[in-house]
Amino acid sequence: KPLDESVDLSRIAKVTSGYTGADLENLMNEAAIFAARRGKEKIDSKDIEDANIKVMMGAEKKSKKITQKERTLTAYHEAGHAIVSKLVDKDEKVHQVSIIPRGRAGGYTMYTPKEDVFYSSKGEMMNSIIKSLGGRAAEEIMLDDISTGASNDIKMATNVARSMITMY
């Protein structure tokens, strides 16, 4: 697929760490579709970024009306993930935060790992649990309430903790 000269393949490699060949093929097919819809002859970084979000998180939900209350809750929740990540994990950078619903998520916080790793230390796994719960903590602190929005975060934190106990 024709790529614009400005595309930084090393940056794409960082944000697609862990992708299989089929995942990368899907990513580039989606990027080509974005480029074609935008009337471009070459795929640029924006097309790849948008395709990556679609592949990872699902298509943007345009048909569902989001209330201001839900937007506020999602903004605090995702900001909680980003702030906690900055505090506990110096190696993994926050790449993007969104309150636009996609797939089953009301929003997301996307990270760019410093490097592709095969093993995790106890500290890294604990940081993962802490970051997962940052959104729920932000809801409680800022809104004096919690929502069902953290259910997937709690599931992920529980899976990491369970693996730490039963496997590692």
Side-chain angles (χ1 to χ4, degrees), residues 132-145:
S132 291
L133 300 176
R136 184 187 182 282
E139 288 180 29
E140 191 167 355
I141 291 167
M142 299 305 298
L143 303 171
D144 198 28
D145 201 3

Side-chain angles (χ1 to χ4, degrees), residues 16-168:
T16 59
S17 173
Y19 277 31
T20 65
D23 294 332
L24 292 171
E25 181 180 22
N26 187 24
L27 171 71
M28 293 312 293
N29 286 339
E30 289 292 339
I33 291 168
F34 276 111
R37 285 183 183 155
R38 294 168 176 159
K40 297 186 251 177
E41 292 185 18
K42 292 184 177 181
I43 299 168
D44 65 17
S45 295
K46 173 83 171 126
D47 300 320
I48 295 171
E49 178 78 20
D50 292 344
N52 191 40
I53 293 166
K54 183 176 180 185
V55 168
M56 285 178 49
M57 301 303 299
E60 185 178 325
K61 289 185 183 176
K62 295 181 179 181
S63 62
K64 186 176 187 294
K65 176 89 167 97
I66 306 300
T67 67
Q68 186 58 42
K69 181 180 176 183
E70 290 173 316
R71 284 176 210 240
T72 300
L73 179 125
T74 303
Y76 281 127
H77 182 97
E78 297 307 330
H81 288 305
I83 291 167
V84 169
S85 177
K86 181 80 171 160
L87 294 172
V88 302
D89 196 341
K90 305 299 181 209
D91 292 330
E92 193 170 58
K93 303 285 186 227
V94 174
H95 175 68
Q96 184 177 58
V97 178
S98 176
I99 63 168
I100 298 171
R102 292 181 170 273
R104 295 182 59 194
Y108 61 87
T109 303
M110 189 183 302
Y111 304 95
T112 303
K114 185 177 178 183
E115 57 190 22
D116 194 8
V117 295
F118 293 103
Y119 304 103
S120 294
S121 69
K122 178 182 176 184
E124 290 166 337
M125 289 184 282
M126 292 297 291
N127 286 347
S128 174
I129 292 170
I130 294 166
K131 290 187 306 187
S132 291
L133 300 176
R136 184 187 182 282
E139 288 180 29
E140 191 167 355
I141 291 167
M142 299 305 298
L143 303 171
D144 198 28
D145 201 3
I146 56 171
S147 74
T148 59
S151 62
N152 190 53
D153 298 331
I154 292 169
K155 182 178 179 181
M156 288 179 4
T158 301
N159 288 342
V160 172
R162 182 176 289 118
S163 293
M164 288 175 74
I165 294 165
T166 62
M167 294 171 52
Y168 311 132

